[in-house]
């Protein structure tokens, strides 16, 4: 039964086979440094007294080890300095804890994903790779209170319209 299903899928051209000529050509491009991979990482620090801080790092590297990258630091006090009563401070802290005010860790992740895609679009290499979904959920919801939907949709259109960008789905166990 499995062989019959496989034959049907092959006959209907639903199973693709590796093109050795194309693989050879792409390996040459890789070795020449014409392929770049971009990935990012972020670390959130939820500091009880001082507030919230995050560090986002994005790096691009090609097979010839030409690399570039940058780091973004985001800092937000838990209690805005304009709160002048203890009650106002406690009320704000409660709202922050419930995620109703301030920057959330998912918004930090959204910023990192946006910067990865922005960085890959600016690269000059012939072929480009990014880690994860080509247009991840965190960018499709527009970063909530940060009101970034229009910017996210714009960069999403640019990424999806690019013919030389591929998204690599991997895990830490790969």
């Amino acid at each position: 039964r499995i062989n019959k299903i496989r034959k049907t899928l092959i006959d209907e051209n639903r199973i693709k086979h590796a093109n050795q000529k194309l693989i050879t050509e792409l390996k040459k491009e890789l070795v020449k440094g014409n392929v770049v991979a971009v990935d990012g990482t972020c670390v959130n620090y939820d500091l009880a007294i001082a507030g919230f801080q995050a560090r986002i790092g994005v790096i691009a590297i090609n097979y010839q080890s030409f690399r570039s990258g940058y780091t973004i630091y985001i800092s937000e006090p838990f209690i805005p300095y304009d709160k002048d009563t203890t009650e106002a401070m406690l009320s704000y802290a409660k709202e922050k804890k419930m995620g109703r005010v301030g920057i959330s860790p998912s918004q930090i992740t959204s910023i990192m994903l946006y910067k990865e895609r922005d960085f890959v679009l600016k690269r000059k290499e012939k072929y480009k790779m990014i880690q994860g979904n080509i247009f991840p959920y965190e960018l499709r919801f527009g970063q909530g209170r940060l009101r970034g939907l229009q910017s996210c949709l714009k960069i999403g259109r640019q990424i999806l319209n690019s013919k030389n960008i591929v998204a690599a789905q991997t895990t830490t166990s790969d």
Side-chain angles (χ1 to χ4, degrees):
R1 177 153 164 81
I2 291 175
N3 289 334
K4 184 178 178 182
I5 293 171
R6 181 175 173 75
K7 183 180 180 335
T8 302
L9 292 174
I10 291 172
D11 291 344
E12 293 175 2
N13 200 25
R14 291 169 55 193
I15 293 181
K16 307 293 182 187
H17 296 282
N19 180 330
Q20 288 303 323
K21 182 179 176 186
L22 181 59
I23 290 172
T24 302
E25 289 175 25
L26 291 175
K27 281 183 180 177
K28 289 178 185 174
E29 294 289 344
L30 181 67
V31 172
K32 288 181 193 173
N34 292 330
V35 180
V36 67
V38 175
D39 196 11
T41 187
C42 60
V43 178
N44 301 326
Y45 302 98
D46 203 356
L47 307 171
I49 297 172
F52 178 86
Q53 295 180 341
R55 183 178 65 206
I56 299 172
V58 178
I59 188 167
I61 188 165
N62 67 19
Y63 203 73
Q64 294 181 341
S65 292
F66 294 129
R67 66 182 80 178
S68 61
Y70 59 91
T71 304
I72 302 168
Y73 294 94
I74 298 171
S75 181
E76 174 191 53
F78 269 155
I79 310 299
Y81 299 114
D82 63 348
K83 306 291 181 200
D84 48 0
T85 67
T86 304
E87 186 176 295
M89 289 179 194
L90 290 174
S91 175
Y92 183 84
K94 183 178 177 183
E95 294 290 311
K96 172 75 176 162
K97 183 89 171 161
M98 295 169 55
R100 294 182 182 154
V101 295
I103 297 175
S104 70
S106 66
Q107 290 169 326
I108 297 298
T109 301
S110 298
I111 294 168
M112 178 197 69
L113 294 167
Y114 181 92
K115 296 308 283 180
E116 284 177 359
R117 279 136 189 86
D118 182 52
F119 201 31
V120 82
L121 284 168
K122 294 176 181 175
R123 297 293 299 198
K124 303 295 183 203
E125 286 83 359
K126 189 174 180 179
Y127 300 104
K128 304 167 187 186
M129 294 174 35
I130 52 177
Q131 159 64 27
N133 292 326
I134 192 92
F135 190 48
Y137 169 79
E138 292 88 347
L139 295 181
R140 288 181 272 150
F141 82 88
Q143 301 170 338
R145 290 182 307 279
L146 295 181
R147 308 245 191 273
L149 183 59
Q150 293 307 315
S151 297
C152 291
L153 291 176
K154 180 180 176 184
I155 205 161
R157 278 191 294 276
Q158 292 172 328
I159 289 283
L160 293 171
N161 288 328
S162 297
K163 297 184 190 286
N164 63 342
I165 298 176
V166 65
Q169 302 289 326
T170 61
T171 65
T172 55
S173 62
D174 288 344

